[in-house]
Amino acid sequence: MKQSVLFTKTSKDVAKDEQSLNSQLLIKAGFIDKIMAGVYEFLPLGYRVLKKIEQIIREEMDAIGGQEIFMSALSPKENWQTTNRLDSMDVLFETRGANEESRRVNDGSYILNSTHEEIITPLVKKFALSYKDLPFATYQIQTKFRNEPRPKSGLLRGREFIMKDLYSFHVSEEDMRVYYEVVKEAYFRIFERLGIGETTYITLASGGDFTKDFSHEFQTECPTGEDEIHVCDKCKIALNKEVLDRQDSCPECGTKDLRITKASEVGNIFPLNTKFSKAFDYYFTNEKGEKEIVYMASYGIGPSRLMGVIVEKFADDRGMSWSQSISPYSVHLLSLGQNDEADKIYEKLINEGVEVLYDDRDVSPGIKLADSDLIGCPNRIVISSKTIENNNIEFKKRSQAEPQFLSLEQVLAKLR
Ligand code: ATP
Ligand code: MG
């Protein structure tokens, strides 16, 4: 991608009300823009990152048999009345058509889905009614709406945000528990591939109103995270603050010597048991022809929150720093007034299948270098009169201080 044709630009200033580091950097670098509090638009560079995060999650969901679907964002209020969450879920958005006619019908109002248990349960009930149909799991990656009070953490807490939500359906609690463990493992792989495996802890949390048992959060250590967790560094397990009166020691080794740290919840898995199947009357027929209740679990991950967390964790005073797996481009190629030579390198890299952002703009070297640090691709190549004279390429990793001078072959070897 040539930066001269990229319609977005980096900017020096961001609005003063932008308090979080992630939104400040992402807006400055032209990855996202804000339309109102808690609602952001994804621009070409930012959307590439989001899609890469989603794709990693998608691959791991597919690998454990998740069947991808895409549900509606809008739903009738009745579904939420069935579970009483119309009243109990404070963050629910209700919406209505703006004209007279739509006010008359159904009082004109619908729900903008904040989660999809109320949608998926009546949906799958149309198909999976026999023990032969169970178990199965289905997921989507989709926009959710929540009227979060005072959203000021950028992508960490949107009022409109992206969630991957997986739901699984089982003949028994035991069967649900088996798959629950399979999903846990898939989650560990996802966070590993996103480059945050080392600092993401499975965390005991309360099951809310779904279950007496614990649910599990995946909490990523992050200085600006909204949650406080108590970590057993030996077992790499944590406790959420809210469970400390039920459980105040590591569930693996029993130690009470836990490290308190700030974290952001990037994923959450819930044994729902029969809460939603009961509400929607979702039974299956067993081998003897008798009716039995279906067991369910739900499993969320926030791709847009993850993007914000990753920015916050890895940023330095010069800007963002993306890992190879989710960077918008692998290489940022800068031409310092040498577009003829840089064009050739660009072509060669593209032919080798390398994803390149090419700064071919007519701006000063200082601006190019600063923008490159801000945007944060993991590899930087500089073509200047000096490199042409020495017949080499200046190559630097975002994480390294000093560049190396290499041949194109050596650079390609490093990129592989
Ligand atoms: P929190 O306690 O942070 O409000 P939650 O328990 O409400 O999170 P879930 O309903 O379990 O979150 O949603 C699943 C995942 O969706 C979360 O783990 C998180 O990654 C993401 N998520 C939830 N709320 C938001 C939000 N407002 N903005 C961005 N991502 C969110
Ligand atoms: Mg919440």
Side-chain angles (χ1 to χ4, degrees):
M1 179 77 199
K2 290 187 175 175
Q3 250 174 291
S4 59
V5 299
L6 191 63
F7 84 86
T8 56
K9 308 264 186 296
T10 56
S11 62
K12 278 220 180 71
D13 312 305
V14 274
K16 284 200 189 64
D17 65 340
E18 211 50 61
Q19 297 169 11
S20 71
L21 179 66
N22 72 86
S23 56
Q24 282 175 3
L25 288 172
L26 288 164
I27 290 172
K28 258 193 193 171
F31 280 52
I32 64 171
D33 195 46
K34 179 159 91 167
I35 180 164
M36 59 181 176
V39 185
Y40 294 90
E41 278 133 342
F42 289 84
L43 304 175
L45 296 177
Y47 194 42
R48 283 179 74 91
V49 174
L50 184 67
K51 281 191 292 184
K52 286 186 180 188
I53 294 174
E54 290 177 0
Q55 186 55 25
I56 288 174
I57 297 171
R58 177 177 286 115
E59 285 169 15
E60 296 298 340
M61 291 298 101
D62 291 346
I64 56 169
Q67 302 176 39
E68 187 169 11
I69 59 173
F70 191 70
M71 285 183 273
S72 67
L74 215 52
S75 65
K77 272 166 82 175
E78 289 74 19
N79 291 46
W80 298 84
Q81 271 153 352
T82 302
T83 56
N84 290 324
R85 288 212 282 187
L86 192 58
D87 297 320
S88 66
M89 216 185 216
D90 303 337
V91 293
L92 221 50
F93 269 113
E94 197 176 322
T95 184
R96 57 172 71 241
N99 62 31
E100 280 299 312
E101 170 65 11
S102 60
R103 278 183 196 163
R104 206 168 49 73
V105 183
N106 185 31
D107 82 349
S109 89
Y110 303 90
I111 297 301
L112 276 167
N113 298 325
S114 60
T115 175
H116 278 72
E117 285 84 4
E118 274 79 355
I119 321 304
I120 190 75
T121 314
L123 170 64
V124 300
K125 191 186 153 184
K126 293 181 183 170
F127 303 101
L129 292 166
S130 155
Y131 71 96
K132 290 180 195 154
D133 302 321
L134 297 164
F136 69 96
T138 179
Y139 76 98
Q140 65 172 348
I141 299 172
Q142 201 233 20
T143 305
K144 299 281 190 269
F145 300 88
R146 292 185 185 179
N147 197 11
E148 305 276 7
R150 291 176 302 283
K152 53 181 170 37
S153 307
L155 293 186
L156 302 195
R157 188 166 296 282
R159 291 197 295 156
E160 177 177 332
F161 62 96
I162 310 294
M163 195 198 287
K164 181 285 299 174
D165 39 332
L166 172 78
Y167 304 89
S168 69
F169 303 86
H170 307 270
V171 295
S172 64
E173 184 177 354
E174 299 75 69
D175 194 59
M176 178 194 76
R177 287 284 166 194
V178 172
Y179 192 68
Y180 194 81
E181 294 305 315
V182 170
V183 180
K184 250 189 217 170
E185 292 308 315
Y187 272 37
F188 283 124
R189 283 195 297 277
I190 289 167
F191 299 124
E192 194 64 47
R193 288 178 66 182
L194 292 172
I196 53 173
E198 279 295 300
T199 50
T200 300
Y201 302 99
I202 186 150
T203 304
L204 291 190
S206 99
D209 57 352
F210 300 139
T211 166
K212 296 185 301 302
D213 309 335
F214 292 114
S215 68
H216 294 87
E217 296 171 346
F218 288 77
Q219 292 273 5
T220 305
E221 238 180 316
C222 177
T224 48
E226 293 178 343
D227 294 355
E228 176 188 298
I229 57 168
H230 297 236
V231 183
C232 171
D233 280 312
K234 185 168 143 256
C235 304
K236 301 203 65 123
I237 291 181
L239 306 176
N240 189 320
K241 237 173 37 184
E242 64 188 6
V243 306
L244 285 173
D245 49 354
R246 281 165 73 185
Q247 168 92 32
D248 64 352
S249 57
C250 172
E252 291 281 309
C253 71
T255 183
K256 292 197 178 186
D257 183 17
L258 304 172
R259 178 172 59 88
I260 302 175
T261 184
K262 292 263 174 233
S264 177
E265 180 204 304
V266 290
N268 201 339
I269 60 180
F270 271 110
L272 299 172
N273 291 319
T274 58
K275 179 179 161 80
F276 291 93
S277 39
K278 278 205 180 112
F280 286 99
D281 226 359
Y282 181 22
Y283 290 81
F284 70 97
T285 315
N286 71 15
E287 279 158 296
K288 296 183 207 133
E290 301 153 351
K291 273 176 94 185
E292 276 188 58
I293 193 82
V294 173
Y295 276 79
M296 291 173 55
S298 73
Y299 318 82
I301 293 187
S304 51
R305 176 178 287 181
L306 270 165
M307 185 168 157
V309 168
I310 289 167
V311 170
E312 302 250 348
K313 272 184 80 72
F314 299 110
D316 58 22
D317 52 1
R318 291 174 292 137
M320 302 185 286
S321 183
W322 300 104
S323 71
Q324 182 73 27
S325 64
I326 59 166
S327 181
Y329 291 90
S330 166
V331 171
H332 201 172
L333 169 65
L334 315 188
S335 161
L336 304 190
Q338 302 296 333
N339 280 19
D340 285 348
E341 184 62 21
D343 281 353
K344 288 184 213 152
I345 304 284
Y346 181 55
E347 289 303 323
K348 284 184 186 151
L349 289 169
I350 298 279
N351 288 338
E352 292 290 327
V354 181
E355 294 182 319
V356 190
L357 179 64
Y358 170 25
D359 196 346
D360 59 337
R361 296 173 302 166
D362 191 13
V363 297
S364 75
I367 289 178
K368 290 192 178 187
L369 292 164
D371 279 356
S372 181
D373 278 343
L374 173 64
I375 290 170
C377 297
N379 305 293
R380 188 188 77 188
I381 292 177
V382 175
I383 304 299
S384 64
S385 55
K386 193 172 96 192
T387 65
I388 293 173
E389 211 170 284
N390 296 330
N391 198 24
N392 59 21
I393 287 173
E394 182 186 318
F395 177 80
K396 190 178 92 65
K397 294 227 170 265
R398 176 68 177 77
S399 51
Q400 289 169 338
E402 295 301 325
Q404 294 170 282
F405 294 89
L406 307 171
S407 69
L408 181 63
E409 276 314 310
Q410 287 170 316
V411 167
L412 285 170
K414 283 201 174 280
L415 294 174
R416 277 180 219 118

